[in-house]
Amino acid sequence: MGHHCCSKQKVKRGLWSPEEDEKLVRHITSYGHGCWSSVPKLAGLQRCGKSCRLRWINYLRPDLKRGSFNEQEERTIIDVHRILGNRWAQIAKHLPGRTDNEVKNFWNSCIKKKLIAQGLDPNTHNLLSLSSSTNKRSISSTSASSHQQPFTVDTTAAAAAPVVSAAASLHGQFNSAAAVLNESSCIDWAAVTQQLLALGQESEQQQQQQRQHEAAAACVYKYKADDDEDEVVLSSTGGDQQLQQELFDATCHFDFPFLDSAFIAPQGFNPMVMDDALAWDIVN
DNA sequence: AATCAGTGCAACCGCTTGGTT
DNA sequence: AAACCAAGCGGTTGCACTGAT
């Protein structure tokens, strides 16, 4: 089966020669690529337009950074992958000079193995032992990303340490939520919070938390990012505004470095169970 | 020296998306 | 609404290279 995009022409395939590279670079730097399907003819190449485009994007573009990935880049890939999954093009946008193909190859050949060696599931970024646990109960699943596991709660842990469990569960849910934020979906955090509370036994401390949850549930957190600065803005739909402001001040120090367009956190998004360390862990 | 397995990277394939007619 | 096309994307393949035997 030949190329559907250029089946009428005899095209060369396989590795590019330096001469072909030179022709393509010369053509694009002089005239731009325009319509890729016309590039091979105009540049004097016996390649299909798709092949030219790929060669340019992945190898010949002047702004590409060559060489191996540094530690910072590796960290970024892992962090963004945790949130976005295998969306290599999206991930590559956070790595100037790197292509989606390069990131994907680096992930498959290197990072994946490192994570497995660390006992982490490269798909979910959870501990492998936890990923295979059977003592879990699914309470919600809103993920639109196939790599994400349904939101689960370890009920044993919940009984022993509900707050920790809730935080851990929210952590998992946040990952799912983050994976779909770009599609402008909203997570029903108020419902999640209610279910979390139902799992644990009510205590005085939890009642205090309940009040905080309710206050936080009336908050709308707006995150905006632009070239100059990122900011999270609080607005309220009612309730104890002083408590809301305290919650906001106490929990919204963190950034959302992987969201390059503004989003509005869903009503009921509750940072109360997150401290800065967890928030940092979530978004990084 | 020859062979083989493992690895990394470049390129390809097929599908999806978005725009145009 | 349907058909078509170009571009974008992620998964997969092919091949050169390297190290072990």
Side-chain angles (χ1 to χ4, degrees):
Chain A
M1 184 175 149
H3 287 200
H4 70 279
C5 60
C6 48
S7 53
K8 292 173 194 162
Q9 293 177 337
K10 187 184 174 188
V11 295
K12 192 184 165 197
R13 296 173 59 187
L15 294 181
W16 281 63
S17 68
E19 292 74 26
E20 288 178 305
D21 283 346
E22 196 189 330
K23 281 183 181 177
L24 185 58
V25 169
R26 204 184 317 139
H27 174 77
I28 292 179
T29 51
S30 300
Y31 308 106
H33 60 74
C35 175
W36 281 109
S37 55
S38 62
V39 164
K41 193 180 173 187
L42 296 171
L45 290 162
Q46 290 196 319
R47 296 274 182 173
C48 74
K50 200 169 182 177
S51 180
C52 292
R53 178 185 154 271
L54 217 57
R55 184 62 179 171
W56 175 258
I57 288 173
N58 286 338
Y59 198 80
L60 298 174
R61 251 167 50 198
D63 59 324
L64 286 181
K65 187 196 282 185
R66 310 300 304 176
S68 51
F69 286 78
N70 61 35
E71 264 185 49
Q72 176 59 45
E73 289 175 313
E74 182 177 333
R75 190 69 240 164
T76 300
I77 293 171
I78 294 169
D79 293 341
V80 184
H81 184 276
R82 187 189 311 172
I83 294 170
L84 298 177
N86 294 358
R87 290 150 80 174
W88 306 116
Q90 287 290 108
I91 295 171
K93 284 179 184 171
H94 297 278
L95 299 155
R98 302 295 189 182
T99 68
D100 56 348
N101 209 33
E102 213 175 355
V103 170
K104 178 174 59 182
N105 283 335
F106 184 54
W107 175 269
N108 285 326
S109 65
C110 183
I111 297 180
K112 219 170 166 179
K113 290 168 194 165
K114 278 191 185 176
L115 291 179
I116 291 169
Q118 289 170 12
L120 297 170
D121 184 331
N123 294 318
T124 63
H125 295 255
N126 293 328
L127 284 170
L128 282 166
S129 56
L130 290 178
S131 297
S132 61
S133 168
T134 55
N135 189 22
K136 291 181 177 180
R137 185 159 62 99
S138 177
I139 63 172
S140 171
S141 178
T142 53
S143 172
S145 173
S146 60
H147 92 288
Q148 294 286 353
Q149 298 293 323
F151 173 36
T152 57
V153 170
D154 184 323
T155 51
T156 305
V163 174
V164 172
S165 177
S169 301
L170 269 178
H171 185 165
Q173 182 71 343
F174 193 98
N175 282 342
S176 297
V180 297
L181 278 173
N182 284 348
E183 283 79 42
S184 303
S185 298
C186 287
I187 305 302
D188 185 354
W189 286 92
V192 171
T193 301
Q194 279 184 357
Q195 292 186 65
L196 288 169
L197 288 173
L199 288 172
Q201 292 180 336
E202 290 270 321
S203 66
E204 206 166 306
Q205 185 185 16
Q206 283 178 314
Q207 285 173 17
Q208 167 65 13
Q209 288 176 358
Q210 173 75 43
R211 284 192 291 277
Q212 291 179 318
H213 275 291
E214 286 167 0
C219 296
V220 177
Y221 291 83
K222 295 183 179 180
Y223 172 77
K224 284 185 167 244
D226 56 39
D227 292 341
D228 298 318
E229 59 178 349
D230 300 346
E231 59 173 353
V232 178
V233 182
L234 170 69
S235 64
S236 171
T237 59
D240 187 337
Q241 293 189 12
Q242 187 183 340
L243 184 53
Q244 287 165 358
Q245 188 62 49
E246 285 171 12
L247 282 168
F248 179 78
D249 292 340
T251 56
C252 281
H253 308 310
F254 50 84
D255 298 324
F256 291 82
F258 311 116
L259 301 167
D260 45 18
S261 60
F263 81 95
I264 299 176
Q267 184 176 344
F269 167 63
N270 191 341
M272 199 267 297
V273 294
M274 291 195 289
D275 57 22
D276 280 350
L278 178 57
W280 180 253
D281 186 39
I282 288 170
V283 298
N284 286 284

